[in-house]
Amino acid sequence: MTIASIISAIGNNNSVYPLIVRDCGIEVPTKIALTYAQNKKESKGIAYLAARERFLDEYSVSAVWLGGIPLVGKVCDTLIKNRGFNPSVNLKLFKEEDGIQGIDYNIKKFSNIAPDAVKDLVKVKQNKKLYEKLLASKFILSTTIPILFMGYILPKLIFASSARKIENLRKKEIQQKMNSQVSFLQKDRFFKKKNVNFTGNWIAKVANFSAQDKMAVTDGGYALGRIGTARNTNEAYDISFKMAGMMFLNFVAPKWIEKALNKVTGVELDPVILADKDFIEQVKDKSIINNLPKSANPKDLLEFVDDISNKDTLFIKFAKKFNKIKTFDNGVRDPRVYVDMKDLAKFRNDILSFVENSKNLSDNGFLSFVRKSKFAKSANILTNVVLSSFLLAYVLPKAQFKFRKWITGSDLEPGLAPAEKIVDKK
């Protein structure tokens, strides 16, 4: 894998790669260190337990995100196939876009050139309600199973493990105080067992959400689960603050940062495209203009894509690579897959804009323009990763600690802190 490919992968805010880099490589280790340092101000014993909980929690959640959720989705797809349906059929196709795409339109258009795919479309059309129920079941399973594990089962296991270690810490501290002839009977309040309250009624509402809300449902359900399993009210406040910040900084802020940086540099194309020698050569001699759809109009875009003679063009090559379209090996577009026309139009316009910006340059000027563009886009991606990681790994925890201090009057984790250290500000 080339450097451009690596940078491209971690810059794709619609994939798991940025999450792997930010979460596993930067955010989690930093949070563990900050958690230990924050709690150490008042208690080394609590600091160890807090850091241990953070380690188990964060890496277990990452494992579910990166492995568990895709696995559940694949299992569901297998079950759907066993019922005779192809899960590749997108329900958005039932909303016909006149003269562009739609289930009836695609059945008619591709009946002779992609007969097997059309059979899948016909099967879904004839059994729409059953197919919708199967997809709804996939949606429910692929969201509620991770939610239950991350939001309910995992914290319960961690809390139970911490409770045993807290008991050992209690015995150790009591023995130390007995040896030093000092009695702190009030300290025993620290180790009173907290009741864990689970609330799961919200799970029944999952089926009412659309597939487009899947990510938000999983994150929101995960957050609700963590709040519901909080060991006391102050811990619920603390978790609410953290989860709201994490959801924003993981899934919203990086896209905002990406748009802002792209606007500043004026470069939208991916580093993989800018590193492609054929692409640069065609931009230089302007031949690529003849190998683009004649306009960003949806009909012109799909007319170009569906013309088999264009299957080897760079536009098709990169549109496939970045999942803007899907084609079979013979170049025929897969009619089961919905095409986001706005996204495809933007991609076409971004290429054209790059060509326009490179006009009237000398050979040396053109090569310099290409190098600067590639560097600028790569720098944008790395800056986004670093900035969003800094916000997640440092700024959010620090803000959470200040919020915790304001709510509880203590630097300690609310779920582990002694009762006498907590100030209830309800």
Side-chain angles (χ1 to χ4, degrees):
M1 180 177 281
T2 66
I3 294 177
S5 297
I6 294 172
I7 294 175
S8 172
I10 65 174
N12 183 359
N13 286 311
N14 294 315
S15 76
V16 299
Y17 295 111
L19 292 176
I20 294 175
V21 173
R22 288 200 303 262
D23 289 9
C24 300
I26 301 174
E27 179 190 350
V28 174
T30 305
K31 282 183 175 180
I32 293 171
L34 290 175
T35 296
Y36 182 83
Q38 183 71 12
N39 286 271
K40 188 180 177 182
K41 295 176 182 178
E42 298 189 34
S43 170
K44 287 186 177 180
I46 296 298
Y48 165 76
L49 291 177
R52 177 181 175 276
E53 282 195 353
R54 179 57 64 90
F55 175 86
L56 294 173
D57 184 15
E58 296 287 352
Y59 279 116
S60 296
V61 168
S62 294
V64 173
W65 269 115
L66 302 176
I69 292 177
L71 177 62
V72 174
K74 288 182 179 180
V75 171
C76 291
D77 283 344
T78 299
L79 294 175
I80 291 174
K81 289 177 181 178
N82 289 340
R83 295 297 301 271
F85 296 97
N86 191 316
S88 297
V89 177
N90 195 312
L91 286 175
K92 288 183 179 180
L93 293 172
F94 277 97
K95 183 179 180 180
E96 297 284 338
E97 298 176 26
D98 188 35
I100 302 172
Q101 64 182 333
I103 194 160
D104 289 329
Y105 180 84
N106 286 6
I107 287 173
K108 182 177 179 181
K109 180 175 181 177
F110 291 89
S111 59
N112 294 323
I113 56 178
D116 291 336
V118 167
K119 288 179 182 178
D120 292 335
L121 291 174
V122 172
K123 175 81 172 181
V124 168
K125 181 183 177 183
Q126 293 174 343
N127 301 274
K128 181 182 177 184
K129 290 185 178 180
L130 175 58
Y131 185 66
E132 287 176 336
K133 288 180 180 179
L134 291 172
L135 289 187
S137 298
K138 175 184 176 181
F139 166 71
I140 293 171
L141 289 173
S142 61
T143 54
T144 56
I145 290 176
I147 286 170
L148 286 171
F149 180 79
M150 295 188 296
Y152 291 88
I153 298 173
L154 178 61
K156 187 176 180 180
L157 293 174
I158 293 175
F159 294 163
S161 176
S162 292
R164 292 192 294 270
K165 294 186 178 298
I166 288 175
E167 181 64 23
N168 292 334
L169 180 62
R170 177 186 72 83
K171 292 177 181 178
K172 183 178 179 180
E173 290 191 354
I174 289 176
Q175 185 63 45
Q176 289 175 342
K177 294 188 184 303
M178 289 177 64
N179 292 339
S180 62
Q181 303 293 312
V182 178
S183 176
F184 287 95
L185 297 179
Q186 182 66 22
K187 190 76 175 176
D188 196 50
R189 291 171 55 198
F190 169 27
F191 305 102
K192 288 182 178 179
K193 187 175 181 181
K194 301 290 182 180
N195 290 325
V196 179
N197 183 30
F198 287 83
T199 56
N201 293 333
W202 58 271
I203 299 176
K205 299 179 181 179
V206 170
N208 295 325
F209 286 85
S210 67
Q212 291 82 359
D213 297 324
K214 181 178 177 181
M215 184 65 74
V217 170
T218 305
D219 287 342
Y222 166 41
L224 288 173
R226 286 309 174 90
I227 295 168
T229 57
R231 287 165 284 195
N232 53 55
T233 302
N234 286 317
E235 187 175 44
Y237 291 150
D238 192 58
I239 292 173
S240 297
F241 185 92
K242 180 185 78 170
M243 295 303 299
M246 285 179 61
M247 289 174 66
F248 175 77
L249 292 176
N250 257 323
F251 302 105
V252 179
K255 294 183 179 181
W256 287 4
I257 295 171
E258 179 184 19
K259 288 182 180 179
L261 291 173
N262 288 347
K263 188 173 182 180
V264 170
T265 61
V267 182
E268 295 280 351
L269 296 179
D270 191 273
V272 168
I273 299 176
L274 297 175
D276 188 271
K277 293 181 180 180
D278 291 335
F279 175 79
I280 298 305
E281 187 62 34
Q282 290 188 26
V283 170
K284 184 178 180 180
D285 62 21
K286 307 298 184 294
S287 62
I288 196 168
I289 296 177
N290 298 323
N291 293 314
L292 293 174
K294 61 183 179 182
S295 79
N297 180 280
K299 288 186 177 182
D300 289 337
L301 289 170
L302 286 191
E303 181 180 325
F304 182 90
V305 171
D306 292 339
D307 186 342
I308 299 300
S309 65
N310 294 324
K311 67 174 183 170
D312 295 322
T313 62
L314 291 177
F315 179 82
I316 299 296
K317 172 186 173 181
F318 288 119
K320 289 166 55 180
K321 181 175 180 60
F322 294 103
N323 298 316
K324 300 179 187 303
I325 60 172
K326 183 178 180 180
T327 68
F328 299 113
D329 292 339
N330 61 2
V332 174
R333 176 167 60 90
D334 188 341
R336 301 166 299 191
V337 177
Y338 179 82
V339 180
D340 186 333
M341 303 310 303
K342 289 184 178 179
D343 189 38
L344 191 61
K346 182 181 183 302
F347 179 61
R348 180 258 182 198
N349 290 340
D350 288 342
I351 294 176
L352 191 60
S353 177
F354 185 81
V355 175
E356 292 295 323
N357 291 335
S358 68
K359 287 197 319 184
N360 303 321
L361 295 175
S362 64
D363 288 345
N364 290 335
F366 175 78
L367 293 176
S368 177
F369 171 76
V370 171
R371 285 195 297 268
K372 288 179 179 179
S373 297
K374 182 181 175 182
F375 176 82
K377 184 61 178 180
S378 299
N380 284 357
I381 291 172
L382 296 177
T383 299
N384 194 347
V385 171
V386 171
L387 181 56
S388 57
S389 297
F390 175 72
L391 292 173
L392 274 164
Y394 185 82
V395 175
L396 178 59
K398 286 293 186 180
Q400 181 186 356
F401 297 155
K402 289 185 179 295
F403 176 78
R404 177 187 302 167
K405 184 80 171 181
W406 176 69
I407 288 291
T408 69
S410 171
D411 290 313
L412 298 176
E413 295 284 327
L416 298 171
E420 66 270 16
K421 290 284 187 179
I422 299 299
V423 178
D424 195 340
K425 292 194 175 184
K426 286 193 295 180

